[in-house]
mmCIF file of all heavy atoms in Angstrom:
data_model
loop_
_atom_site.group_PDB
_atom_site.id
_atom_site.type_symbol
_atom_site.label_atom_id
_atom_site.label_comp_id
_atom_site.label_asym_id
_atom_site.label_seq_id
_atom_site.Cartn_x
_atom_site.Cartn_y
_atom_site.Cartn_z
ATOM 1 N N LYS A 1 114.576 105.595 93.033
ATOM 2 C CA LYS A 1 114.657 104.187 93.422
ATOM 3 C C LYS A 1 115.081 104.064 94.881
ATOM 4 O O LYS A 1 114.498 103.273 95.641
ATOM 5 C CB LYS A 1 115.648 103.455 92.516
ATOM 6 C CG LYS A 1 115.767 101.974 92.824
ATOM 7 C CD LYS A 1 116.659 101.252 91.828
ATOM 8 C CE LYS A 1 118.128 101.483 92.146
ATOM 9 N NZ LYS A 1 119.010 100.622 91.324
ATOM 10 N N LEU A 2 116.074 104.848 95.287
ATOM 11 C CA LEU A 2 116.526 104.810 96.678
ATOM 12 C C LEU A 2 115.432 105.284 97.626
ATOM 13 O O LEU A 2 115.247 104.727 98.714
ATOM 14 C CB LEU A 2 117.784 105.671 96.844
ATOM 15 C CG LEU A 2 119.073 105.097 96.257
ATOM 16 C CD1 LEU A 2 120.193 106.127 96.331
ATOM 17 C CD2 LEU A 2 119.477 103.824 97.002
ATOM 18 N N ARG A 3 114.711 106.314 97.213
ATOM 19 C CA ARG A 3 113.605 106.793 98.048
ATOM 20 C C ARG A 3 112.552 105.706 98.232
ATOM 21 O O ARG A 3 112.096 105.443 99.358
ATOM 22 C CB ARG A 3 112.974 108.024 97.404
ATOM 23 C CG ARG A 3 111.714 108.525 98.127
ATOM 24 C CD ARG A 3 110.979 109.528 97.264
ATOM 25 N NE ARG A 3 109.734 109.980 97.860
ATOM 26 C CZ ARG A 3 108.607 110.187 97.189
ATOM 27 N NH1 ARG A 3 108.577 109.973 95.874
ATOM 28 N NH2 ARG A 3 107.523 110.620 97.792
ATOM 29 N N ALA A 4 112.155 105.064 97.119
ATOM 30 C CA ALA A 4 111.147 104.012 97.211
ATOM 31 C C ALA A 4 111.654 102.856 98.073
ATOM 32 O O ALA A 4 110.924 102.339 98.935
ATOM 33 C CB ALA A 4 110.781 103.516 95.810
ATOM 34 N N SER A 5 112.913 102.441 97.861
ATOM 35 C CA SER A 5 113.479 101.339 98.639
ATOM 36 C C SER A 5 113.443 101.649 100.124
ATOM 37 O O SER A 5 113.038 100.812 100.943
ATOM 38 C CB SER A 5 114.928 101.075 98.212
ATOM 39 O OG SER A 5 115.006 100.709 96.866
ATOM 40 N N ARG A 6 113.881 102.858 100.463
ATOM 41 C CA ARG A 6 113.950 103.203 101.875
ATOM 42 C C ARG A 6 112.567 103.277 102.501
ATOM 43 O O ARG A 6 112.363 102.848 103.644
ATOM 44 C CB ARG A 6 114.665 104.549 102.062
ATOM 45 C CG ARG A 6 114.869 104.854 103.532
ATOM 46 C CD ARG A 6 115.372 106.260 103.792
ATOM 47 N NE ARG A 6 115.518 106.441 105.232
ATOM 48 C CZ ARG A 6 114.505 106.676 106.062
ATOM 49 N NH1 ARG A 6 113.286 106.752 105.604
ATOM 50 N NH2 ARG A 6 114.713 106.813 107.362
ATOM 51 N N MET A 7 111.600 103.810 101.771
ATOM 52 C CA MET A 7 110.268 103.965 102.352
ATOM 53 C C MET A 7 109.533 102.631 102.451
ATOM 54 O O MET A 7 108.744 102.417 103.373
ATOM 55 C CB MET A 7 109.469 104.999 101.559
ATOM 56 C CG MET A 7 110.083 106.387 101.668
ATOM 57 S SD MET A 7 109.078 107.705 100.961
ATOM 58 C CE MET A 7 107.774 107.824 102.182
ATOM 59 N N VAL A 8 109.797 101.727 101.518
ATOM 60 C CA VAL A 8 109.249 100.379 101.645
ATOM 61 C C VAL A 8 109.855 99.695 102.861
ATOM 62 O O VAL A 8 109.155 99.070 103.673
ATOM 63 C CB VAL A 8 109.505 99.550 100.368
ATOM 64 C CG1 VAL A 8 109.155 98.078 100.595
ATOM 65 C CG2 VAL A 8 108.698 100.103 99.200
ATOM 66 N N GLU A 9 111.174 99.833 102.995
ATOM 67 C CA GLU A 9 111.859 99.241 104.148
ATOM 68 C C GLU A 9 111.354 99.843 105.461
ATOM 69 O O GLU A 9 111.103 99.127 106.435
ATOM 70 C CB GLU A 9 113.369 99.453 104.019
ATOM 71 C CG GLU A 9 114.169 98.820 105.147
ATOM 72 C CD GLU A 9 115.663 98.986 104.953
ATOM 73 O OE1 GLU A 9 116.100 100.102 104.614
ATOM 74 O OE2 GLU A 9 116.392 97.994 105.135
ATOM 75 N N PHE A 10 111.197 101.146 105.486
ATOM 76 C CA PHE A 10 110.729 101.844 106.689
ATOM 77 C C PHE A 10 109.345 101.333 107.096
ATOM 78 O O PHE A 10 109.090 101.023 108.270
ATOM 79 C CB PHE A 10 110.697 103.346 106.413
ATOM 80 C CG PHE A 10 110.219 104.185 107.564
ATOM 81 C CD1 PHE A 10 111.060 104.454 108.638
ATOM 82 C CD2 PHE A 10 108.940 104.714 107.575
ATOM 83 C CE1 PHE A 10 110.631 105.229 109.710
ATOM 84 C CE2 PHE A 10 108.492 105.491 108.632
ATOM 85 C CZ PHE A 10 109.345 105.752 109.703
ATOM 86 N N ALA A 11 108.432 101.234 106.124
ATOM 87 C CA ALA A 11 107.074 100.773 106.423
ATOM 88 C C ALA A 11 107.073 99.315 106.870
ATOM 89 O O ALA A 11 106.377 98.945 107.826
ATOM 90 C CB ALA A 11 106.178 100.951 105.192
ATOM 91 N N ALA A 12 107.863 98.472 106.186
ATOM 92 C CA ALA A 12 107.905 97.053 106.532
ATOM 93 C C ALA A 12 108.465 96.839 107.931
ATOM 94 O O ALA A 12 107.964 96.002 108.701
ATOM 95 C CB ALA A 12 108.731 96.293 105.504
ATOM 96 N N LYS A 13 109.499 97.593 108.297
ATOM 97 C CA LYS A 13 110.089 97.450 109.632
ATOM 98 C C LYS A 13 109.140 97.971 110.711
ATOM 99 O O LYS A 13 109.062 97.393 111.805
ATOM 100 C CB LYS A 13 111.434 98.173 109.698
ATOM 101 C CG LYS A 13 112.533 97.450 108.938
ATOM 102 C CD LYS A 13 113.888 98.110 109.131
ATOM 103 C CE LYS A 13 114.995 97.259 108.512
ATOM 104 N NZ LYS A 13 116.338 97.859 108.695
ATOM 105 N N ASN A 14 108.431 99.042 110.420
ATOM 106 C CA ASN A 14 107.449 99.541 111.386
ATOM 107 C C ASN A 14 106.316 98.536 111.583
ATOM 108 O O ASN A 14 105.816 98.361 112.705
ATOM 109 C CB ASN A 14 106.882 100.883 110.927
ATOM 110 C CG ASN A 14 107.854 102.027 111.173
ATOM 111 O OD1 ASN A 14 108.897 101.838 111.790
ATOM 112 N ND2 ASN A 14 107.512 103.203 110.682
ATOM 113 N N LEU A 15 105.917 97.903 110.489
ATOM 114 C CA LEU A 15 104.879 96.881 110.581
ATOM 115 C C LEU A 15 105.349 95.722 111.453
ATOM 116 O O LEU A 15 104.613 95.224 112.323
ATOM 117 C CB LEU A 15 104.519 96.378 109.181
ATOM 118 C CG LEU A 15 103.487 95.253 109.094
ATOM 119 C CD1 LEU A 15 102.144 95.685 109.675
ATOM 120 C CD2 LEU A 15 103.327 94.800 107.643
ATOM 121 N N GLN A 16 106.596 95.295 111.243
ATOM 122 C CA GLN A 16 107.131 94.199 112.038
ATOM 123 C C GLN A 16 107.246 94.589 113.507
ATOM 124 O O GLN A 16 106.971 93.774 114.401
ATOM 125 C CB GLN A 16 108.504 93.777 111.494
ATOM 126 C CG GLN A 16 109.069 92.536 112.156
ATOM 127 C CD GLN A 16 108.163 91.329 112.002
ATOM 128 O OE1 GLN A 16 107.747 90.992 110.893
ATOM 129 N NE2 GLN A 16 107.834 90.677 113.107
ATOM 130 N N ALA A 17 107.629 95.851 113.745
ATOM 131 C CA ALA A 17 107.731 96.315 115.132
ATOM 132 C C ALA A 17 106.377 96.274 115.829
ATOM 133 O O ALA A 17 106.276 95.912 117.015
ATOM 134 C CB ALA A 17 108.302 97.731 115.163
ATOM 135 N N GLU A 18 105.326 96.629 115.120
ATOM 136 C CA GLU A 18 103.977 96.563 115.694
ATOM 137 C C GLU A 18 103.584 95.109 115.971
ATOM 138 O O GLU A 18 102.970 94.806 117.002
ATOM 139 C CB GLU A 18 102.964 97.204 114.747
ATOM 140 C CG GLU A 18 103.071 98.717 114.625
ATOM 141 C CD GLU A 18 102.645 99.437 115.897
ATOM 142 O OE1 GLU A 18 101.936 98.835 116.733
ATOM 143 O OE2 GLU A 18 103.023 100.609 116.052
ATOM 144 N N LEU A 19 103.945 94.229 115.067
ATOM 145 C CA LEU A 19 103.638 92.812 115.272
ATOM 146 C C LEU A 19 104.394 92.260 116.480
ATOM 147 O O LEU A 19 103.875 91.418 117.228
ATOM 148 C CB LEU A 19 104.000 92.012 114.016
ATOM 149 C CG LEU A 19 103.076 92.184 112.809
ATOM 150 C CD1 LEU A 19 103.695 91.550 111.563
ATOM 151 C CD2 LEU A 19 101.709 91.572 113.087
ATOM 152 N N ASN A 20 105.623 92.739 116.671
ATOM 153 C CA ASN A 20 106.426 92.279 117.800
ATOM 154 C C ASN A 20 105.848 92.717 119.140
ATOM 155 O O ASN A 20 106.219 92.174 120.184
ATOM 156 C CB ASN A 20 107.866 92.788 117.674
ATOM 157 C CG ASN A 20 108.588 92.136 116.501
ATOM 158 O OD1 ASN A 20 108.162 91.099 115.990
ATOM 159 N ND2 ASN A 20 109.672 92.753 116.066
ATOM 160 N N ARG A 21 104.981 93.730 119.109
ATOM 161 C CA ARG A 21 104.337 94.164 120.346
ATOM 162 C C ARG A 21 103.106 93.313 120.662
ATOM 163 O O ARG A 21 102.245 93.709 121.436
ATOM 164 C CB ARG A 21 103.939 95.638 120.233
ATOM 165 C CG ARG A 21 105.136 96.582 120.110
ATOM 166 C CD ARG A 21 104.696 98.051 120.211
ATOM 167 N NE ARG A 21 105.813 98.949 120.050
ATOM 168 C CZ ARG A 21 106.136 99.566 118.918
ATOM 169 N NH1 ARG A 21 105.389 99.367 117.836
ATOM 170 N NH2 ARG A 21 107.174 100.377 118.854
ATOM 171 N N ARG A 22 103.056 92.156 120.017
ATOM 172 C CA ARG A 22 101.984 91.179 120.237
ATOM 173 C C ARG A 22 100.612 91.703 119.815
ATOM 174 O O ARG A 22 99.591 91.323 120.362
ATOM 175 C CB ARG A 22 101.944 90.725 121.696
ATOM 176 C CG ARG A 22 103.218 90.028 122.133
ATOM 177 C CD ARG A 22 103.105 89.546 123.566
ATOM 178 N NE ARG A 22 104.342 88.868 123.964
ATOM 179 C CZ ARG A 22 104.546 88.351 125.181
ATOM 180 N NH1 ARG A 22 103.585 88.439 126.104
ATOM 181 N NH2 ARG A 22 105.675 87.747 125.481
ATOM 182 N N LYS A 23 100.615 92.586 118.864
ATOM 183 C CA LYS A 23 99.344 93.034 118.301
ATOM 184 C C LYS A 23 98.902 92.045 117.226
ATOM 185 O O LYS A 23 99.712 91.343 116.634
ATOM 186 C CB LYS A 23 99.475 94.432 117.702
ATOM 187 C CG LYS A 23 99.711 95.530 118.739
ATOM 188 C CD LYS A 23 99.674 96.877 118.071
ATOM 189 C CE LYS A 23 99.691 98.004 119.097
ATOM 190 N NZ LYS A 23 100.962 98.078 119.815
ATOM 191 N N SER A 24 97.629 92.029 116.934
ATOM 192 C CA SER A 24 97.141 91.194 115.840
ATOM 193 C C SER A 24 97.650 91.757 114.525
ATOM 194 O O SER A 24 98.029 92.937 114.434
ATOM 195 C CB SER A 24 95.611 91.170 115.839
ATOM 196 O OG SER A 24 95.097 92.440 115.459
ATOM 197 N N LYS A 25 97.641 90.926 113.487
ATOM 198 C CA LYS A 25 98.085 91.388 112.177
ATOM 199 C C LYS A 25 97.254 92.582 111.709
ATOM 200 O O LYS A 25 97.773 93.525 111.116
ATOM 201 C CB LYS A 25 97.983 90.248 111.159
ATOM 202 C CG LYS A 25 99.008 89.146 111.351
ATOM 203 C CD LYS A 25 98.866 88.081 110.263
ATOM 204 C CE LYS A 25 99.906 86.987 110.426
ATOM 205 N NZ LYS A 25 99.764 85.935 109.373
ATOM 206 N N GLU A 26 95.950 92.515 111.989
ATOM 207 C CA GLU A 26 95.049 93.574 111.546
ATOM 208 C C GLU A 26 95.340 94.891 112.262
ATOM 209 O O GLU A 26 95.387 95.958 111.638
ATOM 210 C CB GLU A 26 93.595 93.152 111.777
ATOM 211 C CG GLU A 26 93.129 91.987 110.918
ATOM 212 C CD GLU A 26 93.642 90.634 111.395
ATOM 213 O OE1 GLU A 26 94.107 90.557 112.560
ATOM 214 O OE2 GLU A 26 93.581 89.673 110.612
ATOM 215 N N ASP A 27 95.564 94.823 113.566
ATOM 216 C CA ASP A 27 95.885 96.037 114.326
ATOM 217 C C ASP A 27 97.228 96.612 113.895
ATOM 218 O O ASP A 27 97.387 97.830 113.761
ATOM 219 C CB ASP A 27 95.906 95.739 115.829
ATOM 220 C CG ASP A 27 94.513 95.577 116.411
ATOM 221 O OD1 ASP A 27 93.548 96.022 115.746
ATOM 222 O OD2 ASP A 27 94.392 95.022 117.508
ATOM 223 N N ALA A 28 98.196 95.727 113.704
ATOM 224 C CA ALA A 28 99.526 96.186 113.277
ATOM 225 C C ALA A 28 99.451 96.870 111.920
ATOM 226 O O ALA A 28 100.080 97.910 111.694
ATOM 227 C CB ALA A 28 100.489 94.995 113.221
#
């Protein structure tokens, strides 16, 4: 459960970081 939680969080934060670089949703 902790592994899944952390990896979901890791992916979601990386996605947000890409969006913050003013990339389109699709590119991010």
Side-chain angles (χ1 to χ4, degrees):
K1 182 175 79 171
L2 287 173
R3 174 193 177 220
S5 299
R6 186 189 180 282
M7 295 188 73
V8 170
E9 182 177 45
F10 179 77
K13 287 186 172 181
N14 283 354
L15 177 61
Q16 187 59 52
E18 290 291 341
L19 287 169
N20 292 342
R21 295 188 182 98
R22 298 182 180 179
K23 292 186 171 67
S24 69
K25 289 182 179 179
E26 293 76 16
D27 285 342

